[in-house]
Amino acid sequence: MSQLGGIGGIGGIGGIGGIGGIGGIGGIGGIGGIGGIGGINFTGLGGFIGGGGADGLTTSGLMIAAQSIIHTAEQDTSPLATAHALPMSSTSNLDGWDSWVRASLYLSDFLKDLKWKVDKQARSVTLSLAGKAFYSVQRPDIDLFVSQLAKLRDYQDQRADRSAEILSQMGFPIDYFASILGLNAARNRFTFELILITQVIASHVAMVVKHHLACRRPDRLGATVMPMIPTPGHATFPSAHATEAFAVATLLEGLLGTDVAAKHYRSVIRLKKLVFKQAERIAVNRTVAGMHYPIDTWAGAALGEAVGQIILAKCVKGSATLPRHYDATDVDFSVSNFKWMLWQDKAPAGAAANVCGLARGDKTIPVAASDLFGWLWKKSQGEFSLG
Amino acid sequence: MPNAEKTHVLAELVGPYEFWTFETGADYGLPPQHLNAGNSIAAVAELPQGADPRSGDYVGDLAGSDNAGEIHVPTVWEPVFQRKENAFWPLVVHVKAAEKSGATSPLTRLGHAMKPLASGIAGHRKKAKTEADTLGFRLNSVMPGETVNSGFSVDAIAKAYAKSPKSAVKPAAIVAVIDDGLPFAHRDFRGADGGTRVEFCWLQSAMTPKGQTPTVLYGREYLKGEIDGLIHTYGHDEDQLYRAAGAGDQGPLRGATIRHLGSHGSNVMDLAGGSRIAGALDPVALIGVQLPAPTTLDTAGFGKESYVLAAMHYIFERADRLAEKYLGKGHALPLIVNFSYGFTGGPHNGQDRLERAMRALIRAREAAGAPTHLVIPSGNSFAGALGGEISEGLIKKRGGAAGTFDIPWRVQPTDRTPNYLEIWLPDGAAPQGVSLALQAPSGKSISLAVATSGNQNTPFSMPGLAEKRAIGQFSIEHYRFENSKGRWRFVIVLAPTDPENSTLAAAEAGLWQLKLSGLGPVLKHGPITCRIQRDNDPFGYYRGARQSYFDDRHDQAYGPDGKLSATENPDDAFVRRFDGLNGLATHDAVVVVGGYVASSAAPAAYSSAGPLTAKPGAPGTVRLAAPSDDSPALGGIRAAGTRSGITFRLNGTSAAAPQVTRALALAYAAKPVAAVKPPTPESVATLLAPRLVATGGPKDPGAAINPATRKARLGEWLLTEA
């Protein structure tokens, strides 16, 4: 009956059921409209639930085998070596952790310093890091959203043109950036991990702002919007797709700015521009689809830029971010106005704060470097050489 | 009927299409074509030589009138008005005080606003010795008011153009493109010096920004200098470039195909004058005119005339400035105008008003010693069952009662646009004595009474319904030709079967039958020609137009091989495939281009043809053909999309015509300017000789394909790769 007892051991799988609790993180992924763990696997981070072999047959087999061979070790009297403990709180252990564990650590590391202040009177949300405000945004008047519906109607005619992009960008559209930089999921697994965690963090931060500002989606304010994909169950402003895409673009701009990148790419300046133009296209695709107003993209792009800068600063010691404030005006989004400094020395008229609504401050906000992010940054730097 | 009074007052102003658009069917328009105070309407006036709508006879009357309307003239090319024939003027009529005199009907209001012009015409009639009744005036569409530039002066261009920089290479030929969604900043239109070869580009429904001196009466003009500036500032981001240029954000009604991946005009303009290899086209300067989107939308062609005519005048005027800038005063450059548009209606004898106006311009420029070509596609309706012919022979073959015939007209469900059927009587025949009844798909019959004389526009509703809202209109018109001749036509208009505004009455979808009798005396003069107007969504637009057609059971639409028929129907069929040329391409001053499949040299299944019996090279026939599909698998011809870098395939004879335009420009550019002479009917062949293969000749790989109809489909030559 020992075999049956062994099967009783399957009860141990209940412990694995505990990992099901981590499945909750998948649920958080779901907030981003990302489609949970499945999407993250697809994008290259690897399984959040580590280790195979948790099926009943293998577990049963392992226990039978253990019982059958255990006597060989139990009866051995050969000398034993001293036990060595792992170093405590060390990035040298990170290689050994499952990728989902690292993801959980990066996320916690970022969020631990993040605070937000909601001012209902001023209708604003301000995000701060270690007490320093880096992003503040006004809730636009509902009439401003209504007036932006005309721009949505203009974009609506492009649904046929862009449907392939829209459908394949419903999750984290990592391929659209990888294709520009020639990244490969096997060769550049840590670069993918860095991009992915940037998207996950951007998504979480965007949800905080969305929740507090609680702005209605286009399909609730306009009868002719009729989105071509289901509208996610969260507020419209700011756009999380824009936040994620511009956070990634900012991160990649940083990666491309390194000496290592300069050795392995002959066109970093062009690539930076392409990455930002792609971020714009990803964000605008959501307007074409009927999910977002152009001002959602402005708010999201500004937030994404901040998140990207903070992540870069966590990666590299001595870096900082800048504060920004967004108070929406009824204009279309344009990367040439948002990120004009990539192309021009002088800001174009469309980038003026009183025109586009975005004002960037110049007083730097220091960001403490993080061992975790520093480790990941180093890892991804090491991957360029194969590129 | 109150309509009789209206038509009497405005007999000069209103034809069947105008009456439907502004009166019977005004609510069905996009946008609804209501004539209110403050509206501006594009129009064309046919005036005797010497009558100038800018001078006292016309404008002067305004001061003494009750100031109800204003007439504005856009940029015009003066020499054409010296010709000894009636002149066609593109105009903009501004309705100032529409409510005066208790005028409630839209057309009466307009008539009031038009009083100055009408009296001007009347005054001229007394003075002029020319045939008084050949004068006329036609309305087009209501223009978006904000696109009309109140500060326009014809002199502003001289100063603005003087500031525009010169290209490094002197132009040797000019290609002008009239189309939709023009990517004027595209890299294919730049010369080796990095600057654009687009010297002038006019977007007819864009807005000139406040503070900028307008150089066009409506829309916005971009000169080379401004385009170069836009490329310099925004060349990295062409989305933002067109947005900053005011070319992209126009709202759904005016459309903005420049925002799509590809537009009709991007492909056509690239084929006509785009260079994928730097330097190859440097001596070819470009002029672009983008028609307003509703004009592109309405494939029936109504509403175009004034814009197209204004585009031609603009191109001719700017071509002279361009030549003077680069070559000095008194010099002219060869000009090739590509107009890849068409419709299926019209008289098909070169006497369509727009045809006459365009022909006059070409001939006047040639007379001034400047080589000028207008290149137009043959059309895409060969297999569309849009043309039919009633003859004594057909009635006899069918065994019907003498002088009677039922026209089977199948109208599509969910059609958001009106359907138009034109029935052209033979020369010399009169409509009186013909009886018409229109039978709806449900079997209900609508009788269409022919008045004892003159033109008429009669709305009709469905019998048996309490609601008497019009679902269609029956018109009779004496369509005037030059020299006061003309031809009678019936025009039947049916409302959309699925109107945009669902509170409006819809026409039934299905098989309508127009039952004609008493045709005997008419048919003694010759056969009756029936044409359904083109009614489909143009490239890049989604309005919901659905093409009606003649559902003739004798139409052998497919050949024994199962493919769409490439030959004419047998005698017992009403549907005719030949003599279905683009209605704008039937005069003698146009190069008509058909389309063939490059891999087989077979005519493209859709490529329209002139009459089978016509002599090759005669007006109203296909002159030559260019590829419009690469192969049966690779449909269309690959050329530029709206952004530098996008390419896509566009099929149809629209893609064939610009290849001829380009070949002509390159042929002129290869010659010394002094050797260039105005063209003769033969000069197209002479110019393109190295690239032409005679159809049916020993070098024609498709000579064996339907040899009897080959020349009517493809003209005398195939344009081949250089």
Side-chain angles (χ1 to χ4, degrees), chain B residues 50-276:
Chain B
D52 188 334
R54 298 166 297 186
S55 73
D57 274 348
Y58 298 87
V59 177
D61 285 343
L62 283 171
S65 76
D66 57 1
N67 203 21
E70 267 176 20
I71 290 156
H72 300 279
V73 180
T75 304
V76 288
W77 186 65
E78 301 286 346
V80 74
F81 301 120
Q82 309 309 317
R83 284 171 66 83
K84 295 205 182 315
E85 61 185 12
N86 285 347
F88 291 88
W89 291 81
L91 300 177
V92 172
V93 179
H94 186 65
V95 184
K96 286 177 82 176
E99 298 83 6
K100 280 201 178 173
S101 312
T104 49
S105 148
L107 277 177
T108 325
R109 267 186 239 147
L110 185 75
H112 196 68
M114 295 298 304
K115 251 169 59 184
L117 188 77
S119 58
I121 292 174
H124 237 283
R125 273 191 187 162
K126 285 173 211 145
K127 289 180 223 160
K129 292 210 170 72
T130 38
E131 305 284 351
D133 65 351
T134 63
L135 307 176
F137 186 85
R138 286 301 162 119
L139 298 167
N140 280 190
S141 48
V142 174
M143 312 174 84
E146 65 274 23
T147 65
V148 181
N149 301 314
S150 52
F152 167 66
S153 133
V154 287
D155 307 321
I157 181 63
K159 212 169 137 194
Y161 191 43
K163 278 193 239 154
S164 189
K166 278 189 191 177
S167 284
V169 177
K170 243 182 210 178
I174 303 169
V175 162
V177 174
I178 305 172
D179 218 294
D180 171 62
L182 298 182
F184 51 81
H186 196 286
R187 67 171 179 220
D188 285 6
F189 307 132
R190 296 178 204 163
D193 62 353
T196 185
R197 293 183 285 116
V198 180
E199 286 282 325
F200 304 96
C201 187
W202 178 22
L203 307 192
Q204 291 186 327
S205 63
M207 282 190 280
T208 302
K210 284 195 179 74
Q212 182 175 318
T213 308
T215 51
V216 282
L217 173 59
Y218 50 89
R220 179 169 176 182
E221 182 177 27
Y222 304 83
L223 306 183
K224 172 180 161 57
E226 191 179 355
I227 298 171
D228 282 343
L230 283 163
I231 293 168
H232 179 77
T233 314
Y234 294 115
H236 63 274
D237 183 355
E238 292 180 20
D239 300 337
Q240 179 62 16
L241 189 154
Y242 292 108
R243 208 182 283 133
D249 297 314
Q250 299 186 306
L253 291 184
R254 268 176 282 154
T257 48
I258 193 69
R259 295 173 64 140
H260 291 240
L261 296 176
S263 65
H264 188 271
S266 68
N267 205 286
V268 168
M269 189 161 167
D270 195 35
L271 289 171
S275 173
R276 309 237 181 108

Side-chain angles (χ1 to χ4, degrees), chain B residues 431-489:
Chain B
Q432 281 70 34
V434 178
S435 298
L436 303 94
L438 189 59
Q439 188 182 306
S442 60
K444 285 175 186 156
S445 185
I446 302 158
S447 148
L448 308 172
V450 176
T452 48
S453 70
N455 293 348
Q456 72 179 79
N457 292 298
T458 314
F460 57 79
S461 53
M462 280 304 281
L465 294 181
E467 183 88 57
K468 286 291 171 222
R469 286 185 300 184
I471 54 114
Q473 176 187 297
F474 171 56
S475 299
I476 303 178
E477 181 188 29
H478 187 252
Y479 191 95
R480 285 179 292 98
F481 299 158
E482 56 194 323
N483 303 325
S484 75
K485 291 199 180 89
R487 199 182 278 175
W488 286 95
R489 66 170 173 177

Side-chain angles (χ1 to χ4, degrees), chain A residues 80-319:
Chain A
L80 290 162
T82 319
H84 291 283
L86 283 172
M88 241 182 91
S89 181
S90 168
T91 52
S92 66
N93 294 327
L94 284 171
D95 266 318
W97 306 150
D98 273 341
S99 51
W100 72 263
V101 176
R102 290 196 298 269
S104 176
L105 293 172
Y106 305 137
L107 182 59
S108 313
D109 186 84
F110 186 95
L111 295 176
K112 74 178 186 335
D113 293 330
L114 182 73
K115 292 272 184 301
W116 48 92
K117 199 178 112 204
V118 180
D119 186 338
K120 280 194 182 175
Q121 197 111 45
R123 304 205 304 177
S124 69
V125 171
T126 305
L127 300 181
S128 58
L129 204 70
K132 295 263 178 8
F134 66 89
Y135 178 83
S136 68
V137 60
Q138 296 294 128
R139 184 196 212 206
D141 195 87
I142 196 152
D143 293 338
L144 179 53
F145 287 110
V146 170
S147 67
Q148 288 246 302
L149 286 170
K151 293 188 170 59
L152 258 86
R153 179 61 190 83
D154 285 351
Y155 278 111
Q156 194 170 328
D157 287 345
Q158 297 184 42
R159 286 181 184 175
D161 284 2
R162 300 197 188 206
S163 59
E165 289 161 80
I166 288 164
L167 289 174
S168 60
Q169 291 171 353
M170 284 173 73
F172 287 141
I174 200 162
D175 300 315
Y176 287 83
F177 294 108
S179 147
I180 294 172
L181 298 185
L183 301 179
N184 169 289
R187 189 168 59 213
N188 303 98
R189 57 178 286 236
F190 288 104
T191 311
F192 272 55
E193 188 165 313
L194 182 55
I195 293 172
L196 188 68
I197 197 60
T198 302
Q199 289 170 326
V200 169
I201 291 169
S203 167
H204 278 72
V205 177
M207 289 308 140
V208 170
V209 185
K210 275 172 183 264
H211 163 66
H212 289 294
L213 294 179
C215 300
R216 289 190 186 277
R217 289 276 182 178
D219 57 0
R220 288 301 180 92
L221 294 185
T224 59
V225 175
M226 292 180 280
M228 59 180 279
I229 48 175
T231 300
H234 42 87
T236 200
F237 182 93
S239 155
H241 264 76
T243 311
E244 293 151 19
F246 279 89
V248 169
T250 305
L251 174 85
L252 295 179
E253 184 188 20
L255 267 177
L256 285 166
T258 59
D259 294 344
V260 185
K263 265 192 227 161
H264 296 285
Y265 291 105
R266 58 185 290 266
S267 45
V268 286
I269 298 169
R270 285 172 179 77
L271 293 177
K272 284 180 189 176
K273 292 171 180 172
L274 278 174
V275 159
F276 273 92
K277 188 71 185 158
Q278 187 80 294
E280 176 198 55
R281 187 142 178 111
I282 289 166
V284 172
N285 283 341
R286 304 289 288 179
T287 299
V288 173
M291 306 285 111
H292 279 297
Y293 309 93
I295 55 172
D296 301 351
T297 300
W298 273 106
L303 180 56
E305 182 183 73
V307 169
Q309 285 178 358
I310 293 168
I311 290 175
L312 278 172
K314 282 179 169 289
C315 290
V316 184
K317 229 186 194 134
S319 318

